[in-house]
RNA sequence: GGGCGCGUAGCUCAGCGGGAGAGCACUUCCUUGACAUGGAAGGGGUCACAGGUUCAAUCCCUGUCGCGCCCACCA
C-alpha cells in the first residue's frame, strides 16, 4: 500500500539512482536522432533559478522525445568561464595575502585546475537534483583536450582565411582586470556627472575664444584637435586655425567634421583620439596625432606634463580642474546625466585604450548567419527574437577575442625576432613555418593572451560531438534540433554559434532556438547576487520537491512575458503531486491494477468510453503543445485532466460501479488503472520523480518508465461522440444543481430524499447540500447503465434507497440557472451602454447614428431582460 | 535616439475574434473510508483608456497613458 502522502526526498534520491544506473541519458534505439545542446553553465556557477528553468524546459522536451522513441542526445558540459574563474582563484590568493604575480603562469593555471577539481563540479550535482537527464557520460568541459584542439584548429583556419587578424585600435580596457573586453561585456551605467564649458584661446585671433564642453577634463591632456561642424556659421571661419591648450602648451588644429553637432553643447568638441571611439574616427579622417595619456591602470603616463604623471584618473581630473579654475577659463559647469561604460565583471569604468588585439571579422561571418534565419533554416521561438538577432548581426562590429588573462585557451600565435606572426596549431608547426620564412631556425615567442570564453562556446554544437574528427555522433547529431536559452545570450552565444557552425560545418547548428523568459523576483527585478534577491531552487526543492518546482516553471513558461516566481505557486503544484499520489492510492485500494493488453477501444460503459476519449483528446493536446514549445499549455492541459476530469468526475462517477461489482466493475477497474497509467506517462516529462515512482509501484513492467513505455497517441478513434455527449450532459446537469443554491431547490429536493431515509447521522440542514452532491454522483453513476432521460432516477446511497421524482427539480434548477445567467449578462450589457452614453467624450465625438444605435441596443437588451425576469418569476 | 515587450480577479499570471480563466488569498459549509497538501459552494473583473474595423473585440488596427527591458559614440 502506498503511504498517505508523497515524500519527494526519499523518492528523488532513489529514482535518481535508478536512472543513473540505467543510463537513461544515453542515446538509445533506432529512432530519428533528436539533439539538444545544453548551454554549458560556468564551472564557477551554482544553480540559480534561471538554470532551473532552462534545464527543466530542456528536460521536459528531451524526456518527451525519448517517450516518442527518438534517439535522443542531450549533450551536457561546463564552460571554463575565463574571467569569472580567474577572479575566484585570485580572490582566494588575495585572502592568503598573495597575488597572481607571485606565481608563474603555469603555477597559476595549475592552481585553477586544482580549484576546478575540488569545487568546479558543484553545478553538475545540483542539476542532478532537478532530475535532468542529459547523457552525463558525454560531459565535456570547454578546456578539455578535444575542445581545445577544436579551438586551435578554428583559430588557425580563420586566421589563414583572413577572418582573424591582429589590429591596433581602441578597445574597451578594464583598468581593474587589466584586460580588453568585447563590446558586449560593457554595460552602460547611468551617472550624474558634470559638463564643464571651457574657453580656448585662438592662435592669431586675440579677440576670439572657442568654448568647448567636456565631461572628462582629465582626457584633455591627450587632446590633439577641436572639431566644429563645417556647416556651423559660428565657427566656419575658424577651421584651419588653432586653439591653444594652455595646460600643456599645445596647439590644437581646428577641423571641420560632421561629428560635431551644432545643437549639442557649444557646437565645438575637443578631440581625444586615443581615448574616445568617436574621436578616434575623427582623427582617422583628418590624420590627427594620437596621444595616449593612460597606463593600464588608467593612471596618467609619461606623455603628460610631469606634474600630472602617475595620477589616478579621477585625482587627475581634480588637479586639472583646479588649474583651469586658476587660469580662469571655466565658462560654466552644468550638472549632466549620462552613462558610463562599465565592465560587467569588474564594475569599474571602462577606458577606451589603444592596444594591439586579435579580432574576428564578424561582419563577414554574420552574412550566412543572417541568411540562415531569413530563409528559415533556423527558427526562433517566439519569432520576434529574430528581429533582435538581425538587428545586432546587421550592425556587428569586429569581435575583439584576445584577453590579457592566464586562464583560457592561449592564442596559438608566435612572434619571430622581427615580430613576424606565425599562427599554427602547435609550437613545432610554428617553428617549421618560421624556418621556412627566415631560412633558418629562430627563437619564437608565444602570444601571451588567451581567447574570449565565448570563442570556445561558439564551437560547442560541433566541438562536443568530436569535430574536427568525423565521428558518428557528428554525422548523426549535427545540425541539432533545439537550443533552449534566454535572450540575454542571443548575442554572446547564439549568434556566434550560428556564425561558427555555418562556417565550419556548412550548416546551421540548430533548427530551432527557444528563447525563454528571465526569472525575476517579486518586483520584476533581475535576480542577482549583489541585489540579494535570489531565490535558491535547491531550497525550493528541499521544501516542495523537484517535481513541484519543475511543474511550476513549466506552467509559468508562456511566450512573451518574464516569470515572477512565487513560493505559493510551487506549493499549489506540490498539492497537485499529492492529489495524484492519493488518486493512485485510491486505485490501489480498489484493486484497479493495470491489465496487460488492455484495449481502451473495447470498453462498453458510457462513463468509461467517455473517459478514454477525454484522455485521448488530452494526450493530443499535450503533444501538440510540446511539439510547438507551448510549455504552459502542456502542463496545464495535463493538470486539468488529472485533477479536473479524472479525480473530480471520473473517480466519483465510478465509485458506485466499483461497489456494485460484476462485469461493470471489472471493466471499470481496468479502465481506471489504464487512465492512471496514461496520466503518469503524459505527466512524466514535467514530473519525472512522482510519475516514475507510481509507475514502478503500480505494476510490474520490468523496468523504468522511459524504457518500458511509449508516449500515448490515440488520434480521434477513442472519442465516442455519443458517450461524450451523454456524460458532458451529466456533468453540466450536476454542476447546475450544485450551483443552484436557492432555498426553493434545496428545500424542494431534500425532503424528497429524506422522506423515507430518516438517517439519524444527518443532523444539520447544511448537510443536505453535501448529500445532494453525493447523491447526484451516485445517481448519475447508476444512470450510466441506461441513458439518463431526465425522468425519475434511482438513487442508491449506502443502504438507503430512495426513489424520487427529481426531474421537475432538476429541470427547474437547470432552467433557473440558465435564466439567471442570461439576466446577469443582459444587465451587464445595459450597464455598459449606460456608461458609454454617459461618457462625455463619447457623446461629444461619436457620430449621431452610432449614439442612436447604442440607444436602440439598450432598448433591446432591456426588453430581453424583462422577458427573462418574467420567466424567472413564472418558474418561482 | 531606435527596437521589443507588458498593462486580464486582492496577489502572481494563463488565454483569446463569438460563453471571461488558473494558482494562491478571501467568505460559508463539510472528520462517510484516496486525498484537510482534501471536498463543495460563493464573493470579487467597464480584460489600462479612447477611437476604428467587424454581425460580433479582452483578443485585430490606430492613438493616449503607465511600466519594464534591449540596443546606441552624442561632447
Amino acid at each position: 500500500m502506498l503511504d498517505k502522502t508523497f515524500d519527494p526526498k526519499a523518492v528523488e534520491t532513489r529514482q535518481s539512482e535508478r536512472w543513473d544506473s540505467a543510463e537513461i541519458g544515453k542515446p538509445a534505439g533506432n529512432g530519428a536522432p533528436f539533439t539538444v545542446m545544453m548551454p554549458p553553465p560556468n564551472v564557477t556557477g551554482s544553480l540559480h533559478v534561471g538554470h532551473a528553468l532552462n534545464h527543466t524546459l530542456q528536460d521536459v522536451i528531451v524526456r518527451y522525445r525519448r517517450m516518442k522513441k527518438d534517439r535522443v542526445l542531450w549533450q551536457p558540459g561546463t564552460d571554463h568561464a575565463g574571467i569569472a574563474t580567474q577572479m575566484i582563484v585570485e580572490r582566494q590568493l588575495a585572502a592568503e595575502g598573495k597575488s597572481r604575480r607571485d606565481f608563474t603562469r603555469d603555477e597559476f593555471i595549475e592552481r585553477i585546475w586544482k580549484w576546478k577539481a575540488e569545487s568546479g563540479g558543484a553545478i553538475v550535482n545540483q542539476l542532478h537534483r532537478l532530475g535532468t537527464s542529459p547523457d552525463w557520460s558525454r560531459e565535456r568541459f570547454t578546456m578539455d583536450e578535444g575542445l581545445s584542439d577544436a579551438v586551435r584548429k578554428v583559430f588557425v583556419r580563420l586566421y589563414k582565411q583572413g577572418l582573424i587578424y591582429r589590429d591596433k585600435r581602441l578597445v574597451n580596457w578594464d583598468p581593474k582586470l587589466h584586460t580588453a573586453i568585447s563590446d558586449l561585456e560593457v554595460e552602460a551605467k547611468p551617472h550624474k556627472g558634470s559638463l564643464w564649458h571651457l574657453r580656448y584661446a585662438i592662435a592669431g585671433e586675440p579677440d576670439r575664444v572657442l568654448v568647448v564642453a567636456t565631461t572628462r577634463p582629465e582626457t584633455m591632456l591627450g587632446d590633439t584637435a577641436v572639431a566644429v561642424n563645417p556647416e556651423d556659421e559660428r565657427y566656419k571661419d575658424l577651421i584651419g586655425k588653432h586653439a591653444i591648450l594652455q595646460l600643456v602648451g599645445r596647439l590644437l588644429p581646428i577641423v571641420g567634421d560632421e561629428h560635431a553637432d551644432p545643437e549639442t553643447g557649444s557646437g565645438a568638441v575637443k578631440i581625444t583620439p586615443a581615448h574616445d571611439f568617436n574621436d578616434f574616427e575623427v582623427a582617422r579622417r583628418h590624420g590627427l596625432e594620437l596621444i595616449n595619456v593612460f597606463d593600464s591602470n588608467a593612471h596618467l603616463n609619461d606623455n603628460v606634463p610631469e606634474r600630472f604623471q602617475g595620477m589616478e584618473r579621477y585625482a587627475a581630473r581634480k588637479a586639472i580642474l583646479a588649474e583651469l579654475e586658476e587660469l580662469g577659463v571655466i565658462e560654466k559647469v552644468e550638472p549632466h546625466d549620462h552613462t558610463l561604460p562599465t565592465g560587467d565583471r569588474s564594475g569599474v569604468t571602462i577606458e577606451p585604450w589603444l592596444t594591439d588585439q586579435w579580432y574576428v571579422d564578424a561582419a563577414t561571418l554574420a552574412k550566412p548567419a543572417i541568411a540562415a534565419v531569413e530563409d528559415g533554416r533556423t527558427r526562433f521561438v517566439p519569432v520576434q527574437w529574430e528581429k533582435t538577432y538581425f538587428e545586432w548581426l546587421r550592425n556587428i562590429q569586429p569581435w575583439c577575442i584576445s584577453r590579457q588573462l592566464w586562464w583560457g585557451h592561449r592564442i596559438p600565435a608566435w612572434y619571430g625576432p622581427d615580430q613576424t606572426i606565425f599562427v599554427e596549431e602547435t609550437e613545432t608547426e610554428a617553428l617549421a613555418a618560421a624556418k621556412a620564412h627566415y631560412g633558418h631556425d629562430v627563437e619564437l615567442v608565444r602570444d601571451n593572451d588567451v581567447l574570449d570564453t565565448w570563442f570556445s562556446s561558439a564551437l560547442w554544437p560541433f566541438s562536443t560531438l568530436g569535430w574536427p574528427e568525423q565521428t558518428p555522433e557528428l554525422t548523426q547529431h549535427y545540425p541539432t534540433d533545439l537550443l533552449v536559452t534566454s535572450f540575454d545570450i542571443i548575442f554572446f552565444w547564439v549568434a556566434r554559434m550560428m556564425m561558427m557552425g555555418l562556417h565550419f560545418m556548412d550548416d546551421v547548428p540548430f533548427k530551432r532556438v527557444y528563447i525563454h523568459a528571465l526569472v525575476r523576483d517579486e518586483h520584476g527585478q533581475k535576480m542577482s547576487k549583489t541585489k540579494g534577491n535570489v531565490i535558491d531552487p535547491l531550497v525550493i526543492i528541499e521544501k516542495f520537491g523537484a517535481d513541484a518546482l519543475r511543474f511550476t516553471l513549466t506552467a509559468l513558461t508562456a511566450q512573451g512575458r518574464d516569470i515572477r516566481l512565487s513560493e505559493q505557486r510551487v506549493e499549489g503544484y506540490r498539492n497537485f503531486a499529492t492529489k495524484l499520489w492519493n488518486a493512485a492510492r485510491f486505485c490501489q485500494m480498489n484493486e484497479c491494477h493495470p491489465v496487460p493488453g488492455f484495449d481502451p477501444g473495447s470498453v462498453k460503459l458510457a462513463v468509461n468510453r467517455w473517459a478514454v476519449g477525454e484522455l485521448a483528446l488530452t494526450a493530443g493536446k499535450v503533444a501538440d503543445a510540446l511539439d510547438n514549445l507551448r510549455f504552459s499549455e502542456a502542463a496545464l492541459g495535463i493538470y486539468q485532466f488529472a485533477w479536473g476530469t479524472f479525480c473530480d468526475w471520473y473517480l466519483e462517477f465510478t465509485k458506485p460501479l466499483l461497489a456494485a461489482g460484476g462485469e461493470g466493475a471489472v471493466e471499470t477497474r481496468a479502465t481506471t488503472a489504464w487512465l492512471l497509467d496514461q496520466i503518469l506517462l503524459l505527466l512524466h516529462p514535467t514530473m519525472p520523480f512522482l510519475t516514475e515512482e507510481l509507475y514502478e509501484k503500480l505494476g510490474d513492467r520490468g523496468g523504468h518508465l522511459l524504457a518500458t513505455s511509449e508516449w500515448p497517441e490515440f488520434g480521434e478513434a477513442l472519442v465516442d461522440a455519443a458517450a461524450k455527449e451523454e456524460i458532458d450532459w451529466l456533468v453540466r446537469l450536476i454542476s447546475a444543481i450544485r450551483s443552484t443554491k436557492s432555498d426553493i431547490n434545496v428545500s424542494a429536493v431534500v425532503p424528497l430524499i429524506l422522506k423515507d431515509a430518516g438517517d439519524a447521522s444527518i443532523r444539520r440542514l447544511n448537510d443536505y447540500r453535501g448529500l445532494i452532491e453525493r447523491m447526484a454522483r451516485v445517481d448519475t453513476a447508476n444512470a450510466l447503465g441506461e441513458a439518463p432521460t431526465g425522468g425519475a432516477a434511482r438513487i442508491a446511497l449506502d443502504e438507503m434507497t430512495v426513489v424520487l421524482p427529481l426531474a421537475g427539480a432538476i429541470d427547474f434548477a437547470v432552467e433557473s440557472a440558465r435564466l439567471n445567467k442570461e439576466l446577469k449578462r443582459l444587465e451587464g450589457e445595459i450597464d455598459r451602454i449606460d456608461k458609454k452614453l454617459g461618457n462625455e467624450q463619447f457623446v461629444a465625438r461619436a457620430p449621431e447614428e452610432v449614439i442612436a444605435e447604442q440607444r436602440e441596443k439598450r432598448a433591446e437588451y432591456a426588453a430581453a431582460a424583462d422577458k427573462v425576469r418574467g420567466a424567472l418569476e413564472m418558474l418561482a
Side-chain angles (χ1 to χ4, degrees), chain A residues 3-15:
Chain A
D3 295 337
K4 204 165 175 183
T5 52
F6 169 53
D7 174 14
K9 262 178 231 168
V11 168
E12 284 168 15
T13 313
R14 208 171 65 78
Q15 294 299 351

Side-chain angles (χ1 to χ4, degrees), chain A residues 719-736:
Chain A
V719 182
D720 177 338
K724 184 168 168 53
E725 198 187 326
E726 192 171 311
I727 305 300
D728 283 350
W729 181 83
L730 278 171
V731 168
R732 278 202 309 277
L733 180 72
I734 293 166
S735 299

Side-chain angles (χ1 to χ4, degrees), chain A residues 160-180:
Chain A
K160 294 190 172 169
Q161 291 164 345
L163 293 168
I164 281 182
Y165 55 91
R166 197 162 163 79
D167 196 9
K168 189 186 206 71
R169 43 183 283 166
L170 290 187
V171 290
N172 303 298
W173 183 262
D174 188 317
K176 183 176 173 197
L177 300 175
H178 293 138
T179 180

Side-chain angles (χ1 to χ4, degrees), chain A residues 589-863:
Chain A
M589 293 170 87
N590 285 281
E591 290 170 356
C592 302
H593 304 304
V595 174
F598 174 80
D599 173 14
S602 71
V603 295
K604 298 208 169 51
L605 291 178
V607 70
N608 290 333
R609 296 186 65 74
W610 165 75
V612 299
E614 291 299 296
L615 184 277
L617 289 175
T618 300
K621 243 169 47 186
V622 173
D624 185 59
L626 289 176
D627 287 337
N628 292 295
L629 305 173
R630 294 195 304 266
F631 290 96
S632 70
E633 210 172 290
L636 297 175
I638 179 64
Y639 178 95
Q640 215 165 19
F641 179 82
W643 200 321
T645 305
F646 183 68
C647 292
D648 285 350
W649 293 106
Y650 179 79
L651 290 185
E652 296 297 337
F653 277 158
T654 53
K655 275 175 184 171
L657 293 177
L658 294 179
E663 263 182 50
V666 172
E667 178 185 295
T668 301
R669 281 201 179 85
T671 310
T672 304
W674 181 82
L675 287 167
L676 179 63
D677 258 358
Q678 305 312 302
I679 289 171
L680 296 182
L681 298 183
L682 293 178
L683 189 59
H684 182 260
T686 31
M687 290 191 152
F689 291 109
L690 170 80
T691 52
E692 183 76 81
E693 180 77 9
L694 289 177
Y695 185 81
E696 185 190 4
K697 292 221 158 127
L698 292 178
D700 183 14
R701 351 263 180 149
H704 61 84
L705 186 147
L706 287 174
T708 57
S709 69
E710 278 184 35
W711 181 261
E713 263 178 296
F714 308 104
E716 298 288 307
L718 283 184
V719 182
D720 177 338
K724 184 168 168 53
E725 198 187 326
E726 192 171 311
I727 305 300
D728 283 350
W729 181 83
L730 278 171
V731 168
R732 278 202 309 277
L733 180 72
I734 293 166
S735 299
I737 294 174
R738 284 179 184 168
S739 67
T740 308
K741 59 159 192 177
S742 76
D743 290 345
I744 297 168
N745 297 289
V746 175
S747 55
V749 176
V750 169
L752 290 171
I753 305 164
L754 295 179
K755 201 167 70 178
D756 301 314
D759 188 319
S761 73
I762 301 171
R763 293 183 197 91
R764 292 185 300 272
L765 185 66
N766 282 324
D767 287 349
Y768 298 165
R769 226 145 76 203
L771 185 62
I772 291 176
E773 287 148 17
R774 192 168 294 279
M775 203 188 68
R777 293 187 186 186
V778 173
D779 164 29
T780 48
N782 280 353
L784 293 172
E786 41 194 278
T789 58
R794 292 182 57 81
I795 304 296
L797 182 63
D798 292 347
E799 294 81 36
M800 102 181 136
T801 303
V802 185
V803 179
L804 80 164
L806 261 180
I810 289 171
D811 284 349
F812 169 81
V814 173
E815 181 62 7
S816 67
R818 195 185 65 75
L819 288 174
N820 270 315
K821 205 168 181 184
E822 174 71 3
L823 185 62
K824 202 177 163 191
R825 190 186 73 82
L826 288 168
E827 285 174 340
E829 292 286 356
I830 293 171
D831 255 24
R832 200 176 276 220
I833 293 174
D834 279 348
K835 273 193 181 142
K836 220 172 193 179
L837 289 171
N839 182 316
E840 286 175 29
Q841 269 198 49
F842 175 72
V843 175
R845 287 160 65 177
E848 283 294 323
E849 57 268 29
V850 173
I851 294 175
E853 194 180 301
Q854 293 288 323
R855 292 217 170 94
E856 220 167 277
K857 266 191 193 170
R858 190 196 184 287
E860 266 173 42
Y861 287 137

Side-chain angles (χ1 to χ4, degrees), chain A residues 39-46 51 77-91 108 112-113 115-116 119-120 123 140-144 147 151 177 179 185 344-345 403 405-409 450-458 460 492-493 529:
Chain A
N42 288 352
V43 268
T44 56
S46 60
H51 291 124
T78 51
D79 190 284
H80 68 280
I83 297 180
T85 311
Q86 181 164 325
M87 277 172 75
I88 283 184
V89 176
E90 286 197 79
R91 238 177 270 138
F108 182 73
I112 298 185
W113 279 109
W115 170 86
K116 187 200 174 250
S119 36
I123 183 125
R140 303 305 297 268
F141 179 55
T142 46
M143 288 251 295
D144 69 23
L147 270 60
V151 165
L177 300 175
T179 180
E185 291 159 285
D344 66 353
R345 291 281 169 194
R403 296 289 180 277
L405 306 171
W406 284 352
W407 177 243
H409 299 99
V450 300
L451 289 165
D452 181 3
T453 302
W454 296 103
F455 190 88
S456 53
S457 340
W460 189 254
F492 277 114
W493 194 46
K529 275 179 222 145

Side-chain angles (χ1 to χ4, degrees), chain A residues 263-323:
Chain A
E263 305 294 317
T264 307
S266 62
V269 58
K270 72 190 204 61
I271 301 297
T272 319
H275 299 287
D276 184 288
F277 289 100
N278 287 312
D279 295 1
F280 185 76
E281 294 304 318
V282 174
R284 272 202 175 166
R285 289 198 283 271
H286 298 275
L288 300 172
E289 192 188 352
L290 272 62
I291 300 177
N292 178 13
V293 298
F294 287 135
D295 66 13
S296 66
N297 292 306
H299 293 185
L300 292 175
N301 64 15
D302 296 350
N303 292 332
V304 304
E306 218 174 311
R307 61 187 187 281
F308 297 124
Q309 286 178 13
M311 282 184 149
E312 190 272 336
R313 51 186 161 167
Y314 298 111
R317 175 181 298 180
K318 266 193 178 165
I320 286 169
L321 283 170
E323 273 194 34

